[in-house]
Amino acid sequence: MKKALITGITGQDGSYLADLLLEKGYEVHGIIRRASTFNTSRIDHLYADPHINGVRMLLHYGDLSDSVNLVKLLYDLKPDEIYHLGAQSHVRVSFDIPEYTADVTGVGTIRILEAIREVGVRSRFYQASSSEMFGKAQQAPQTETTPFWPRSPYGVAKAFAYWATVNYRESYDLYASNGILFNHESPRRGETFVPRKISRAVAAIKHGLQKELFLGNLDAKRDWGYAPEYVEGMWRILQHDEGDDFVLATGETHTVRELVDTAFSHVDLDWKEFVKYDARYERPAEVNVLIGDASKAKKILGWEPKVRFHELVRIMVDADMELLSHKTLREHLGKLP
């Protein structure tokens, strides 16, 4: 039985990756931060899933700012594969807390790489790199050789982590790979991220629970894919014979305005009646267009996305419509005498 360690296991990608690895028979370990409330909702279903058939998932308290804890974990677990997904991952928020973002998202990667080197394990290491590293992109579409020009503290921190991964691969002969993932969404996406913010608002407006949706730049263009397919790409990256770097993307770009229009149209609403502009959601430095070329991943890994933009939006809106329907029903039943 292979053993995997996932940082950021309670996030969107971490939860889907845990699903995938458990299905493949792995023993899965995850690092979670101590909090005063439970923050494991995305993975709670795994504890009650009868199909796991004894395959284990264990959670460990830790933090990417605590290098001693990371060393101890690797000494104890000696994982075959490490998927480093944990980060302060909100681009807009990174402008408000740049130092914290740099420490956790950037230097946190160095701490894990150093722990691997210090302990001497031969773990295969996956670094969750980001299309935000391209920022003010110098070519379109972006490939593994496109120069980085990050436009946010988050993008800068991810570029640092990317090069740290390459450096440790070349300097210490570690199996270390970067997955340069373009935007990928799902019903498990955090509610402060634009696509989920939109799908939640559409459902709430349709149910009469919300009247307006405030957004920033509607002209920004992104390459949006479906998160479960992207975590399968992560796994394929670590099954490759050697450490390498891969772009995962759909090769299509759409504006936020298109996303809004598609989401509202799906429930027969006119978005122009509900969407309002709010300058607070603008970034100090905007990334105007991102579109990836995943040809290398297709050729070497056999990976390519199947869920495209319009289907992705429908999946998310339908999931939030169902979620709010159940919530509204529960609240209604709770008020009955």
Side-chain angles (χ1 to χ4, degrees):
M1 183 186 295
K2 279 189 176 181
K3 187 185 298 183
L5 174 64
I6 304 172
T7 71
I9 194 172
T10 59
Q12 169 189 255
D13 290 4
S15 67
Y16 281 122
L17 182 60
D19 287 339
L20 177 71
L21 296 180
L22 288 170
E23 288 173 5
K24 291 184 177 294
Y26 280 66
E27 178 179 308
V28 175
H29 296 261
I31 298 177
I32 61 171
R33 287 175 294 176
R34 177 70 179 91
S36 58
T37 57
F38 291 112
N39 60 352
T40 58
S41 59
R42 292 187 180 95
I43 55 175
D44 285 345
H45 66 284
L46 293 174
Y47 291 103
D49 190 339
H51 298 101
I52 293 177
N53 294 324
V55 178
R56 302 170 64 210
M57 182 180 74
L58 297 172
L59 302 180
H60 309 267
Y61 286 120
D63 196 286
L64 294 173
S65 63
D66 185 353
S67 57
V68 173
N69 175 260
L70 294 174
V71 170
K72 288 181 177 178
L73 272 176
L74 292 192
Y75 266 122
D76 291 341
L77 299 178
K78 296 179 175 59
D80 299 288
E81 298 171 2
I82 299 172
Y83 295 87
H84 177 37
L85 314 182
Q88 189 303 99
S89 59
H90 199 287
V91 178
R92 178 61 189 85
V93 172
S94 76
F95 286 99
D96 300 323
I97 48 173
E99 183 178 341
Y100 175 79
T101 301
D103 182 47
V104 173
T105 306
V107 181
T109 304
I110 282 280
R111 293 188 182 105
I112 296 181
L113 289 165
E114 266 296 287
I116 294 172
R117 190 174 74 88
E118 175 69 24
V119 175
V121 293
R122 300 304 298 174
S123 306
R124 295 189 170 199
F125 176 78
Y126 172 87
Q127 162 60 19
S129 291
S130 168
S131 60
E132 287 289 332
M133 300 185 303
F134 296 121
K136 191 175 180 179
Q138 300 303 288
Q139 68 182 61
Q142 292 89 53
T143 71
E144 292 81 5
T145 60
T146 301
F148 300 146
W149 193 330
R151 300 270 283 171
S152 65
Y154 171 79
V156 171
K158 281 292 187 181
F160 176 92
Y162 171 94
W163 285 117
T165 301
V166 173
N167 186 260
Y168 272 68
R169 181 171 72 218
E170 296 177 350
S171 300
Y172 303 114
D173 194 30
L174 298 186
Y175 185 112
S177 295
N178 283 289
I180 308 174
L181 272 58
F182 282 65
N183 295 61
H184 46 287
E185 317 295 331
S186 76
R188 296 185 192 176
R189 185 63 141 153
E191 295 171 14
T192 60
F193 291 86
V194 170
R196 184 74 197 289
K197 180 180 178 180
I198 292 170
S199 66
R200 286 278 289 177
V202 167
I205 290 170
K206 188 66 175 179
H207 281 90
L209 303 174
Q210 185 173 325
K211 294 182 179 180
E212 296 175 318
L213 168 62
F214 292 93
L215 296 171
N217 181 14
L218 297 183
D219 296 318
K221 294 182 177 181
R222 293 292 184 272
D223 184 326
W224 278 296
Y226 187 41
E229 296 181 340
Y230 282 56
V231 300
E232 200 260 345
M234 297 176 189
W235 175 79
R236 289 195 182 206
I237 288 173
L238 286 200
Q239 309 318 302
H240 187 43
D241 292 338
E242 57 187 8
D244 203 346
D245 310 315
F246 295 91
V247 164
L248 300 185
T250 69
E252 298 179 9
T253 188
H254 299 271
T255 64
V256 176
R257 182 177 284 100
E258 288 178 79
L259 198 159
V260 170
D261 184 32
T262 303
F264 276 89
S265 296
H266 186 53
V267 295
D268 299 317
L269 293 176
D270 182 356
W271 70 271
K272 295 178 182 177
E273 296 179 13
F274 305 99
V275 175
K276 309 295 182 184
Y277 173 76
D278 192 330
R280 290 178 300 173
Y281 298 117
E282 293 275 6
R283 302 179 186 178
E286 183 57 83
V287 174
N288 294 317
V289 182
L290 291 175
I291 178 171
D293 179 353
S295 298
K296 180 179 176 181
K298 181 178 180 179
K299 179 180 179 181
I300 296 178
L301 306 177
W303 181 90
E304 60 180 322
K306 297 179 177 62
V307 175
R308 297 295 178 168
F309 176 76
H310 290 89
E311 183 182 357
L312 170 64
V313 177
R314 289 194 295 269
I315 288 171
M316 295 181 67
V317 172
D318 287 344
D320 277 323
M321 287 288 289
E322 183 178 2
L323 182 67
L324 282 189
S325 293
H326 291 165
K327 181 180 179 182
T328 303
L329 178 61
R330 287 196 303 271
E331 291 175 351
H332 174 71
L333 293 174
K335 294 176 182 178
L336 294 177

